[in-house]
Amino acid sequence: MATPARLLAVTEPKTVSPVDLRLLVLSVALEPALALARISGLHLDDLQELVSMGYFREYQRRGVSLRGMRNPLGKSLRTLARLSKQVGQGGQGGQEGEQGLPLSGSERIGWRRQIVATLMDGPKEQRELESALPAVTKEGIEEALTALEELGVLTLEEERYAVASDQLMLVREDLDHRLDSVRHFLSSVAHVLYRRFLHTDPDAEAFARVLSFSVEKERLPEVRERIYKVLHDEVFAADAAADEVDEGVVQASVVLGLVETPTGRAWRARKP
């Protein structure tokens, strides 16, 4: 008896070309960044601008000239020169390890920056903000206030807006160092994806697992410290032993992330 076509479509293993595999991996890898963009309330135009500048900077880091970028980026020298100028002005960090102000040319983001900077001096009513920021239209202020309140950046009490206290705790003096740590963390994740999907080598180590579990909230820091201590001791012992041999030594990275799964408003699906 012949197998129905629709059954074959379900049971036969799905195969994709290497081109499609790379696109699928990239699509999955972008999901965390897109989630953060949604939580940050970015308009699609602003997100596309960030991607354009970041992609340009990725080629720039590799020492590719503007002329050499024309084909892979599919842009004219004039457009690439504009991107180079934006990146050089600190649009996304001009040098390796630097962090400028992203989207410095975005009017929407500019309004949000001005409102938050004004409220750092203390809570204010909307009419006070309108007086303090005459260059911003009333509609622009209303749009920015609504967005910032929905994002949890601002609070509204008795018609006075203020910067949320938990947001102030996140912006600390060691921000550059923390961002460098994020960059290092995510670059190691990119190395794992590359090894596992784009350039497999049976002799190269590329291990990735996620263990999801339930735990008493008070016990979670203890679990973190114990896991990290074992990892720390093993890595330092391996590094010391590598100094005693002349060959067969490779550079490696290990990524550890332990997080309490967020359940706040930003991660809940909206009801239709």
Side-chain angles (χ1 to χ4, degrees):
M1 178 178 175
T3 304
R6 67 172 183 271
L7 184 59
L8 282 173
V10 173
T11 58
E12 286 187 347
K14 183 178 180 180
T15 58
V16 297
S17 75
V19 173
D20 290 328
L21 174 61
R22 289 170 181 254
L23 293 175
L24 288 168
V25 173
L26 175 61
S27 178
V28 172
L30 283 173
E31 289 179 7
L34 296 177
L36 293 175
R38 172 184 60 78
I39 293 168
S40 301
L42 282 189
H43 283 236
L44 184 57
D45 289 345
D46 290 332
L47 178 59
Q48 289 173 331
E49 183 72 11
L50 272 181
V51 171
S52 296
M53 293 169 63
Y55 199 36
F56 174 90
R57 189 162 175 262
E58 179 65 20
Y59 276 89
Q60 189 181 58
R61 282 175 174 173
R62 301 305 183 271
V64 181
S65 66
L66 295 184
R67 193 170 298 277
M69 293 184 199
R70 283 191 305 173
N71 286 338
L73 268 63
K75 297 296 181 181
S76 67
L77 283 175
R78 181 178 180 179
T79 300
L80 294 173
R82 177 183 63 83
L83 285 172
S84 179
K85 182 178 180 180
Q86 287 178 299
V87 170
Q89 290 174 342
Q92 200 170 326
Q95 301 292 331
E96 181 70 16
E98 290 184 2
Q99 182 67 32
L101 292 178
L103 297 175
S104 57
S106 169
E107 186 176 55
R108 286 183 293 267
I109 301 299
W111 291 342
R112 297 183 189 182
R113 286 192 176 112
Q114 291 179 59
I115 288 173
V116 171
T118 303
L119 291 175
M120 294 294 279
D121 295 332
K124 292 178 176 60
E125 296 182 3
Q126 180 175 330
R127 60 180 179 81
E128 295 178 283
L129 289 170
E130 292 172 2
S131 298
L133 303 171
V136 184
T137 64
K138 180 178 180 179
E139 293 76 14
I141 288 179
E142 289 176 349
E143 178 186 341
L145 287 173
T146 299
L148 290 169
E149 187 182 1
E150 289 181 352
L151 296 172
V153 176
L154 300 183
T155 59
L156 176 62
E157 294 184 12
E158 298 180 353
E159 299 186 355
R160 292 168 68 82
Y161 289 93
V163 180
S165 58
D166 63 329
Q167 296 297 303
L168 292 175
M169 291 172 59
L170 295 174
V171 186
R172 305 196 307 244
E173 292 182 356
D174 63 344
L175 179 60
D176 286 344
H177 175 73
R178 293 161 63 209
L179 289 173
D180 279 339
S181 296
V182 172
R183 184 177 290 111
H184 192 190
F185 182 93
L186 294 179
S187 67
S188 295
V189 173
H191 294 167
V192 172
L193 294 177
Y194 173 78
R195 286 288 189 190
R196 289 180 65 85
F197 291 99
L198 307 185
H199 187 78
T200 57
D201 180 349
D203 296 326
E205 192 68 42
F207 181 84
R209 294 291 185 275
V210 175
L211 302 176
S212 299
F213 58 100
S214 299
V215 62
E216 295 175 79
K217 187 178 182 67
E218 294 76 11
R219 189 182 174 190
L220 196 54
E222 176 191 347
V223 173
R224 180 198 66 213
E225 289 299 327
R226 290 174 62 183
I227 292 174
Y228 181 71
K229 184 179 186 310
V230 172
L231 183 61
H232 176 277
D233 292 347
E234 287 290 332
V235 166
F236 271 74
D239 188 71
D243 291 337
E244 306 299 324
V245 297
D246 296 327
E247 55 185 39
V249 175
V250 298
Q251 289 295 310
S253 299
V254 59
V255 176
L256 172 65
L258 190 149
V259 64
E260 184 178 337
T261 304
T263 57
R265 176 181 177 184
W267 297 96
R268 292 196 297 263
R270 292 188 178 182
K271 295 181 180 179

